[in-house]
Amino acid sequence: MLGSLLQAVRQTHPLIHCITNYVTINDCANILLAAGASPIMADAPEEAAAVTARSQGLTLNLGTLHAERIPAMLASGRQANASGIPAVLDPVGAGVSAFRAGAARQLLEAVQFAVIRGNLSEIRALADAGSHACGVDAGDSLTPQTLDACLELAGQLSRRTGAVVAVTGETDLVTDGETAYCIHNGHPMMRSVTGTGCQLSCLTAAFVAASPGQPLQAAAAAVCAMGLCGETAYARLSPADGNAAYRDKILDAVYRLTPAQLEEGARYELR
């Protein structure tokens, strides 16, 4: 089933509007191209909504947030809702400052998101459960030992917002508040490449845009695909390779990933 969701991306080539992190914007564009989607980036308030209206999906990422970006994000989010296209929120560092927390609240109040994707610290901040955020990295760890509590937290946020919630960490969770995918793909070295989370949020938007009636399954497929490609990329490293080569090999793995490989390599359980 997950393989068919990748196939849908390859066949429909959705155009994804990304208002995203300046640090990782190039990699976000490239991972969309690798998956078979198309990227467009426009964060000027004067055109953001118009660009969204021409797109099939939207990603809003708080990574390099400033005051001028918030109106563009709000306008794009509202346009996505008006156009009936899925919007994905990546609340990078949501617990780090009052400014970021306020922007996240504004967006959640104004926009109906199809998916919210973040690390556990960010999801805890959105759920007002407190967090131990440090920079943009997760200060709270999603591990097999914390899985049940994280499932409850993510489920509550999903039910409150009406969005599928994807929490990434050592184990990944994707839930719509009723059903949850517990995903075990990925490799620890992915933490040495900045922006793999930003890339995943854009990839998620592409998967959901290509299969709009299946946001839970599409988000789970995107998370499995990214994790599986992290594993594949690591296996292809030579002894002389470091994180720069690893970053490129992740993109190559996404480009070469087939629906059959995703179907066979995805490791998850349903709860």
Side-chain angles (χ1 to χ4, degrees), residues 187 189 228-238 246 249:
H187 191 277
M189 193 175 178
L228 178 60
C229 289
E231 296 169 14
T232 301
Y234 183 78
R236 292 174 179 169
L237 290 175
S238 76
Y246 186 51
K249 291 182 187 300

Side-chain angles (χ1 to χ4, degrees), residues 17 19 42-49 52 58 60 67-78 107:
H17 181 199
I19 300 181
D43 65 358
E46 295 82 1
E47 68 166 352
T52 299
L58 172 70
L60 300 179
E68 291 77 11
R69 281 193 131 191
I70 296 174
M73 289 184 170
L74 289 167
S76 287
R78 292 184 178 115
L107 288 166

Side-chain angles (χ1 to χ4, degrees), residues 89-156:
L89 175 64
D90 187 338
V92 175
V96 170
S97 70
F99 177 58
R100 286 177 184 271
R105 280 195 300 272
Q106 279 186 271
L107 288 166
L108 288 172
E109 290 169 1
V111 181
Q112 176 59 61
F113 287 96
V115 181
I116 299 168
R117 192 228 58 89
N119 63 39
L120 179 56
S121 182
E122 293 156 354
I123 296 303
R124 284 176 62 85
L126 293 191
D128 296 322
S131 68
H132 305 292
C134 180
V136 298
D137 296 318
D140 301 303
S141 183
L142 203 170
T143 67
Q145 291 72 37
T146 62
L147 184 58
D148 288 339
C150 295
L151 271 171
E152 180 59 26
L153 179 72
Q156 288 176 2

Side-chain angles (χ1 to χ4, degrees), residues 9-221:
V9 179
R10 305 261 195 230
Q11 290 176 338
T12 61
H13 309 294
L15 178 65
I16 307 302
H17 181 199
C18 309
I19 300 181
T20 191
N21 193 334
Y22 292 152
V23 176
T24 63
I25 193 168
N26 182 262
D27 287 337
C28 288
N30 280 321
I31 204 162
L32 285 170
L33 291 169
S38 296
I40 186 167
M41 279 70 171
D43 65 358
E46 295 82 1
E47 68 166 352
V51 171
T52 299
R54 300 174 67 91
S55 305
Q56 286 77 57
L58 172 70
T59 301
L60 300 179
N61 180 306
L62 303 187
T64 45
L65 190 64
H66 52 77
E68 291 77 11
R69 281 193 131 191
I70 296 174
M73 289 184 170
L74 289 167
S76 287
R78 292 184 178 115
Q79 182 62 58
N81 287 172
S83 298
I85 67 170
V88 174
L89 175 64
D90 187 338
V92 175
V96 170
S97 70
F99 177 58
R100 286 177 184 271
R105 280 195 300 272
Q106 279 186 271
L107 288 166
L108 288 172
E109 290 169 1
V111 181
Q112 176 59 61
F113 287 96
V115 181
I116 299 168
R117 192 228 58 89
N119 63 39
L120 179 56
S121 182
E122 293 156 354
I123 296 303
R124 284 176 62 85
L126 293 191
D128 296 322
S131 68
H132 305 292
C134 180
V136 298
D137 296 318
D140 301 303
S141 183
L142 203 170
T143 67
Q145 291 72 37
T146 62
L147 184 58
D148 288 339
C150 295
L151 271 171
E152 180 59 26
L153 179 72
Q156 288 176 2
L157 182 61
S158 178
R159 290 187 292 271
R160 192 183 89 204
T161 61
V164 169
V165 174
V167 193
T168 50
E170 182 181 332
T171 299
D172 303 318
L173 299 177
V174 182
T175 182
D176 62 0
E178 296 183 2
T179 302
Y181 285 77
C182 302
I183 298 167
H184 306 289
N185 289 109
H187 191 277
M189 193 175 178
M190 295 178 80
R191 293 193 292 269
S192 72
V193 177
T194 189
T196 51
C198 301
Q199 292 175 66
L200 173 56
S201 293
C202 293
L203 195 63
T204 299
F207 271 73
V208 178
S211 300
Q214 304 177 76
L216 174 66
Q217 295 84 355

Side-chain angles (χ1 to χ4, degrees), residues 246-261:
Y246 186 51
R247 177 197 61 194
D248 290 345
K249 291 182 187 300
I250 291 174
L251 288 172
D252 288 343
V254 173
Y255 186 85
R256 294 296 182 187
L257 183 66
T258 68
Q261 288 170 340

